[in-house]
Amino acid sequence: MTLLVAMALVAGCGSGNGASGTASTTTGTTDTTTSTTASASNVLAITVNGSLCSSSTSGSYVNKPCVSVTICTPGTSTCQTISDILLDTGSYGLRIFGSVLTGVSLTQVASASGGSLAECVQFGDGSALWGPVMTADVVMGGESGVQMPIQVINASFGSAPAACRSADASPTAAGFNGILGVGLFARDCGTDCVGTANNGMYYSCSGTSCTATAAELVKQVPNPVALLPVDNNGVIVQLPTVATAGAASATGSLILGIGTQTNNVPSSVTTYPADSSAEFRTTYNGTTYYSFLDTGSNGLFFPATSLLSACAVSGYSGWFCPSTNTSLSAVNAGYDGSSTGTVSFTIGNAVTMFNSSNMVFPALGGSMSGGFDWGLPFFLGRSVYVGIEGTGSTLGTGPYWAY
């Protein structure tokens, strides 16, 4: 399942535990890095551990990219802007905790049997989100509002299936008020959930009883970008370069559309076609892995080798702690072997980073078996293009990654 695969990581989106144990939670007032993208109707501000990320949920969650999204009661001008929304290129759909939706009233989406449609989503870090699917008018940046299903996260709604009985119960537990999934696909499940009731994601609830159900495409939680009337063929995540030692915060842009406005015209980028799992290929240390680009992962996660030592400090063993900053490289290619390109990156000592006053780290990495997760550090200093399936631009037809 795409959500589970695309968000697989040691410490990333979902749990909110960007660093474990005694990691510093202090955000300094210096070394803040800002990009220079001009504001426009198709631009949302991103802050990494900055003003859009609330202190109440950030905790030790480093490399946390946040945006704000406005939610309106359908068909009205009654709206509420929610900040501390985790920007995630590794999932699809807008999910917001019901507890923070205090200023709007949303409409329940009915299942095919007439019950209330609910959803259980699971992430690769072991976390999960549960709650009803409801209709909202969603406003991103200065674009027109679009009516669509979203998941209203509520761990106490109905009777959660086994996979979601330990779902995050609050923004504090999750580390965010919601997730904005802007990955490569238009729906969070697609045709698999249309024809199969036991899809593991959608449920029909009547009272406290919830049973597995199929879900029509129009009732599934969509990637909000795909439903926009314009600028709907993908996004660009644009973040500034950050010094290897880190920064207190960073500011960038989420630009809606690819080649649809003067501010999103691709220039000097390479397109890497992705497969039906949103993956392409990365060859590292002589082995080729499936890989993906995921702002919701707060580090670079890949198979450990003798080139990097794991942290010896209790609670940090999943992170890399080389004695000195270590320069590495890998070769990325499309899933079909096309469009190769070398990526150079640096891995530093995670414990040293967590014990500093900074919260944004381009050299943070940890071990993950069997794949290559290019998390938030990959995006620093780049403009990364996310091409939605079935849509076209001068970069090709999605799904593709490009940078």
Side-chain angles (χ1 to χ4, degrees):
M1 191 176 296
T2 302
L3 278 168
L4 183 61
V5 173
M7 299 176 76
L9 69 163
V10 172
C13 54
S15 70
N17 296 318
S20 59
T22 57
S24 169
T25 60
T26 302
T27 301
T29 56
T30 59
D31 297 330
T32 297
T33 305
T34 305
S35 66
T36 55
T37 300
S39 65
S41 61
N42 65 331
V43 178
L44 283 72
I46 304 171
T47 67
V48 184
N49 296 89
S51 60
L52 299 175
C53 303
S54 68
S55 58
S56 63
T57 60
S58 287
S60 57
Y61 196 142
V62 303
N63 285 350
K64 175 185 176 184
C66 300
V67 296
S68 291
V69 176
T70 297
I71 302 298
C72 303
T73 298
T76 76
S77 59
T78 301
C79 302
Q80 181 183 1
T81 298
I82 310 294
S83 61
D84 205 7
I85 302 292
L86 181 70
L87 176 66
D88 186 20
T89 61
S91 69
Y92 319 96
L94 180 60
R95 310 173 194 283
I96 298 179
F97 276 93
S99 59
V100 302
L101 291 171
T102 57
V104 294
S105 177
L106 306 185
T107 305
Q108 175 67 54
V109 174
S111 68
S113 62
S116 299
L117 190 66
E119 188 174 22
C120 171
V121 291
Q122 304 171 66
F123 304 112
D125 63 352
S127 65
L129 298 174
W130 165 254
V133 178
M134 306 189 82
T135 299
D137 286 353
V138 176
V139 181
M140 295 187 292
E143 300 272 357
S144 299
V146 179
Q147 197 166 105
M148 65 183 73
I150 69 171
Q151 184 187 29
V152 177
I153 306 165
N154 180 357
S156 62
F157 180 81
S159 57
C164 268
R165 286 176 189 160
S166 298
D168 288 330
S170 69
T172 301
F176 45 71
N177 286 330
I179 294 180
L180 176 62
V182 294
L184 298 180
F185 299 109
R187 304 279 174 178
D188 65 356
C189 187
T191 55
D192 287 347
C193 287
V194 173
T196 304
N198 293 317
N199 53 64
M201 292 185 71
Y202 284 99
Y203 295 82
S204 177
C205 299
S206 179
T208 59
S209 176
C210 297
T211 57
T213 186
E216 305 165 57
L217 280 179
V218 295
K219 294 183 177 180
Q220 293 181 19
V221 174
N223 178 339
V225 178
L227 266 59
L228 292 172
V230 295
D231 305 320
N232 54 17
N233 59 351
V235 299
I236 307 169
V237 178
Q238 198 170 72
L239 291 170
T241 299
V242 171
T244 303
S249 63
T251 301
S253 299
L254 174 67
I255 304 174
L256 307 174
I258 298 173
T260 57
Q261 305 281 349
T262 56
N263 64 354
N264 60 16
V265 176
S267 176
S268 302
V269 298
T270 301
T271 301
Y272 298 90
D275 62 16
S276 59
S277 297
E279 295 174 328
F280 61 123
R281 298 181 186 179
T282 294
T283 300
Y284 168 69
N285 199 33
T287 301
T288 298
Y289 303 95
Y290 286 106
S291 61
F292 52 94
L293 306 183
D294 185 8
T295 55
S297 296
N298 60 356
L300 302 174
F301 297 102
F302 51 97
T305 69
S306 58
L307 299 174
L308 294 167
S309 55
C311 298
V313 177
S314 177
Y316 294 84
S317 60
W319 299 100
F320 293 129
C321 278
S323 57
T324 59
N325 289 337
T326 302
S327 298
L328 302 167
S329 66
V331 176
N332 284 341
Y335 81 96
D336 54 359
S338 62
S339 306
T340 60
T342 299
V343 178
S344 298
F345 57 102
T346 298
I347 297 296
N349 188 301
V351 170
T352 299
M353 295 181 214
F354 297 149
N355 286 334
S356 77
S357 61
N358 290 322
M359 294 292 281
V360 186
F361 300 107
L364 181 64
S367 62
M368 182 181 82
S369 62
F372 219 103
D373 176 356
W374 296 101
L376 194 279
F378 178 86
F379 291 78
L380 297 172
R382 285 190 170 93
S383 292
V384 178
Y385 296 71
V386 184
I388 295 174
E389 64 173 333
T391 66
S393 76
T394 56
L395 296 177
T397 299
Y400 63 79
W401 307 102
Y403 57 87

